Amino acid sequence: MDVNTAKQILLRSIVNLQKRRGQLTVPDIETEVINNACLAVLQNGDLANSIHYAAAFAQAARELIPEYGESEATFALVGVPQNILWEGMWDHLRDYFQKHHGIQIDNVPTNAIVFYSTSHKRFEKGNLVADTPADRTININLIDDKKEIVVSIEPTLSPKKGYLISSKSNLLQYKGYDPDYLFTLQMDGLQEIEQFTLEMPNRSLKIIYFE
């Protein structure tokens, strides 16, 4: 990946995002650099040269956006090689480009859901230890007819990917590819989420999130 090619890709992406969102910040540009670099690496199957893609896109951003400086470029050089090794990165990119750019990067059907929780109960070793009102935004992306899931909880849980292990009545349960996590979706009669449960069996921890 040379800088000129990266510059063309990044410029198109930034212009598209600006049209859809309006004024962009430096963190927006940082995200664009990392996500476009990761997408290029994965589309080309060139993981061994991820640092070169990162460098090309970072340099392209420095030429296009004066506010994008050396520290942001350095962050990209670290972030891109790390991100492409995450098993959920392609799903994250699919969700990002669909939501923010209106672009489908593959043909896998997805269903993005945002569940706003206003309270949760925390259980440790089966005992209720907290029952608190707290605002949490749970981002859920159901993939390939609910066969897989990507979950993040703002501000407490970074994105985690799981696969369907049980589908009974109004309950869907997913085991994380990181085996420390279990996710359960409880649906209502309209097949909308009414309750979300995060479990970490290795810590005997269960948190139930309510609307």
Side-chain angles (χ1 to χ4, degrees), residues 3 17 25 35 38 44 80 88 93 105 123 126 143 151 168 173 175 197 203-204:
V3 174
L17 186 62
T25 65
N35 285 343
C38 287
N44 290 310
V80 171
L93 293 174
I105 63 172
F123 297 84
I143 302 165
V151 176
K168 297 179 181 178
Q173 188 171 54
K175 185 174 181 62
T197 302
R203 293 171 50 188
S204 297

Side-chain angles (χ1 to χ4, degrees), residues 55-84:
F57 276 92
Q59 181 59 37
R62 295 195 69 177
E63 294 179 12
L64 289 168
I65 310 294
E67 294 81 7
Y68 184 94
E70 185 175 350
S71 62
E72 288 81 11
T74 301
F75 182 73
L77 295 179
V78 175
V80 171
Q82 287 181 343
N83 286 351
I84 62 167

Side-chain angles (χ1 to χ4, degrees), residues 47-184:
L47 275 66
N49 290 309
S50 62
I51 190 71
H52 300 297
Y53 286 76
F57 276 92
Q59 181 59 37
R62 295 195 69 177
E63 294 179 12
L64 289 168
I65 310 294
E67 294 81 7
Y68 184 94
E70 185 175 350
S71 62
E72 288 81 11
T74 301
F75 182 73
L77 295 179
V78 175
V80 171
Q82 287 181 343
N83 286 351
I84 62 167
L85 297 178
W86 173 45
E87 74 276 357
M89 191 59 193
W90 184 261
D91 301 298
H92 168 75
L93 293 174
R94 182 194 296 118
D95 183 55
Y96 176 81
F97 282 98
Q98 183 181 46
K99 281 184 179 178
H100 298 283
H101 289 281
I103 294 171
Q104 292 287 132
I105 63 172
D106 62 19
N107 295 319
V108 175
T110 64
N111 181 20
I113 302 168
V114 180
F115 178 65
Y116 297 103
S117 172
T118 57
S119 65
H120 61 260
K121 293 182 179 180
R122 182 185 180 97
F123 297 84
E124 295 180 6
K125 297 181 179 179
N127 299 311
L128 178 65
V129 296
D131 185 353
T132 41
D135 292 331
R136 295 288 186 268
T137 300
I138 303 172
N139 298 296
I140 298 167
N141 202 350
L142 298 173
I143 302 165
D144 198 10
D145 196 25
K146 302 179 181 178
K147 293 176 184 175
E148 291 186 310
I149 192 172
V150 176
V151 176
S152 67
I153 302 174
E154 298 175 5
T156 57
L157 182 71
S158 60
K160 303 295 180 184
K161 186 178 181 181
Y163 55 91
L164 185 67
I165 59 171
S166 176
S167 176
K168 297 179 181 178
S169 183
N170 64 333
L171 293 177
L172 297 172
Q173 188 171 54
Y174 296 84
K175 185 174 181 62
Y177 284 97
D178 178 340
D180 291 342
Y181 293 90
L182 283 171
F183 310 108
T184 302

